[in-house]
Amino acid sequence: MKILLTGAAGFIGMTTTLRLLARGDEVVGLDNLNDYYDVTLKESRLNRLTSHPGFRFVKMDVADRTGMAQLFEVEKFDRVIHLAAQAGVRYSLQNPHAYIDSNVVGFTNILEGCRHNKVQHLVYASSSSVYGGNTKMPFSEHDSVDHPISLYAATKKANELMAHTYSHLFGLPTTGLRFFTVYGPWGRPDMALFLFTKAILDGRPIDVFNYGKMQRDFTFVDDIVEGVIRVLDRVAAPNPAYDAALADPATSNAPYRVFNIGNNNPVPLLDFIACIEDAVGKKAEKNLLPLQDGDVPATYANTDALNDWVGFVPGTSIQEGVGRFVAWYREYYKV
């Protein structure tokens, strides 16, 4: 297939692209290479892709309405994996406009490109952050997610609503994937695993929020990619059992689906830190702090629906995944 993958220089984007290329797909990778975090790391990821004959890179912002329309018209993609976004919960408190430009305006351009160029299936990144103030565990796609507690979360919820509109009006098959705390080699420098590993190796204390009373459904990137590709290959379809009177948020009588994609096994933050300590071979000095604005104490993905749909079962333990990240970090940064 010919696939547009946005956010190709990102952590999940690079890893997904490598898997698609390995199986013979043609991938056009798009990224704006912004400086939200170290551009050199993004360029290093891209360098792993550009040697493949099936890959072409386009430097563009998804918010570029004219450029995106032209790209779709010229390339005639079979399917689209949309991972580009302004990421990060806390940054949305300081720079809200970046989230509207990328996550709302940019997503509109993706939807319009798919609509006007007969794209067979759009798979896009949502986020576990849409569960916001929900306290019922594990988080289920069938529950209401109407109480976001960050603008980032609100934009991801908006993406799901926008996708449904296009599925309903234009018959565009769309599948949203709510990612749960993805980690692994080549990961983002603003994520806890990267920050903790760097600080411990540098001999600096780590900031541990909510006094360590946190749980996260940490999900290894290879497991995430396996789920993304399986979902890409199974085109969203209307749910024949959908009952509008009961209004299930995860399915529809349109070709629309939303799934959690997580490890289905929440890990206490202090246990996660212990895994890093073991992999690094040094103990962390912990700076215990209160919960940050926009953050939640726990995430836990119910993944039954995704398992039923594509047979997705994550298989990487936290010890293995953290060990693989630390090994990559030491090699990449020569420490």
Side-chain angles (χ1 to χ4, degrees):
M1 293 184 290
K2 185 175 186 179
I3 297 166
L4 170 64
L5 190 145
T6 69
F11 164 42
I12 303 171
M14 177 207 72
T15 315
T16 306
T17 300
L18 286 170
R19 284 284 300 279
L20 293 169
L21 292 168
R23 74 174 196 175
D25 290 318
E26 178 186 353
V27 181
V28 175
L30 182 143
D31 206 292
N32 68 356
L33 297 176
N34 70 21
D35 62 357
Y36 170 64
Y37 63 80
D38 181 17
V39 176
T40 305
L41 178 59
K42 297 181 181 184
E43 291 171 341
S44 296
R45 295 189 191 122
L46 266 184
N47 288 338
R48 302 186 72 212
L49 306 176
T50 49
S51 60
H52 288 264
F55 179 78
R56 284 185 295 118
F57 176 62
V58 175
K59 185 178 180 182
M60 189 186 297
D61 195 309
V62 289
D64 179 349
R65 180 174 170 182
T66 302
M68 292 299 294
Q70 290 173 345
L71 181 71
F72 272 93
E73 188 176 347
V74 169
E75 297 289 351
K76 302 299 181 191
F77 302 109
D78 296 312
R79 299 187 184 181
V80 174
I81 300 175
H82 177 54
L83 304 176
Q86 178 57 61
V89 169
R90 284 171 287 281
Y91 186 61
S92 66
L93 278 65
Q94 280 82 49
N95 193 357
H97 293 287
Y99 290 76
I100 301 303
D101 293 343
S102 182
N103 301 5
V104 179
V105 175
F107 193 60
T108 303
N109 293 336
I110 293 290
L111 288 168
E112 280 289 281
C114 292
R115 167 196 172 190
H116 290 294
N117 295 280
K118 298 182 172 55
V119 168
Q120 300 163 7
H121 191 196
L122 167 63
V123 177
Y124 62 94
S126 185
S127 168
S128 62
S129 67
V130 300
Y131 289 103
N134 289 21
T135 56
K136 177 188 159 196
M137 296 284 175
F139 292 151
S140 169
E141 305 96 327
H142 307 298
D143 295 336
S144 166
V145 287
D146 289 338
H147 299 89
I149 59 172
S150 70
L151 185 65
Y152 170 69
T155 64
K156 289 299 187 177
K157 164 70 171 175
N159 288 171
E160 295 177 4
L161 297 173
M162 294 160 72
H164 184 270
T165 303
Y166 274 67
S167 296
H168 170 76
L169 289 174
F170 309 116
L172 171 66
T174 66
T175 303
L177 294 173
R178 294 173 178 169
F179 293 148
F180 279 71
T181 316
V182 188
Y183 75 99
W186 299 92
R188 277 180 21 216
D190 61 324
M191 297 290 283
L193 176 55
F194 201 111
L195 293 169
F196 290 170
T197 300
K198 178 174 171 53
I200 294 168
L201 283 167
D202 291 349
R204 293 183 290 104
I206 61 174
D207 289 339
V208 181
F209 293 100
N210 205 34
Y211 308 104
K213 297 170 188 166
M214 304 266 274
Q215 286 193 323
R216 286 290 180 271
D217 205 343
F218 295 103
T219 313
F220 192 65
V221 65
D222 289 1
D223 291 332
I224 287 282
V225 169
E226 178 67 28
V228 169
I229 291 177
R230 289 190 188 197
V231 165
L232 179 74
D233 291 343
R234 182 165 184 190
V235 178
N239 179 4
Y242 181 75
D243 183 349
L246 300 176
D248 178 357
T251 69
S252 175
N253 52 11
Y256 167 89
R257 300 279 167 155
V258 171
F259 296 107
N260 289 336
I261 182 164
N263 205 43
N264 189 226
N265 182 29
V267 174
L269 182 59
L270 294 177
D271 290 358
F272 183 65
I273 293 168
C275 285
I276 303 171
E277 292 172 329
D278 288 345
V280 171
K282 287 176 68 176
K283 287 291 182 184
E285 180 187 341
K286 302 177 187 71
N287 184 22
L288 300 178
L289 297 168
L291 190 68
Q292 290 181 289
D293 288 341
D295 217 343
V296 296
T299 64
Y300 178 6
N302 180 326
T303 55
D304 291 347
L306 188 59
N307 188 8
D308 291 345
W309 186 247
V310 294
F312 171 79
V313 180
T316 308
S317 71
I318 198 76
Q319 291 82 5
E320 179 189 349
V322 168
R324 287 171 64 181
F325 171 82
V326 171
W328 166 80
Y329 184 94
R330 284 184 178 279
E331 181 183 355
Y332 183 79
Y333 289 101
K334 306 291 189 287
V335 291

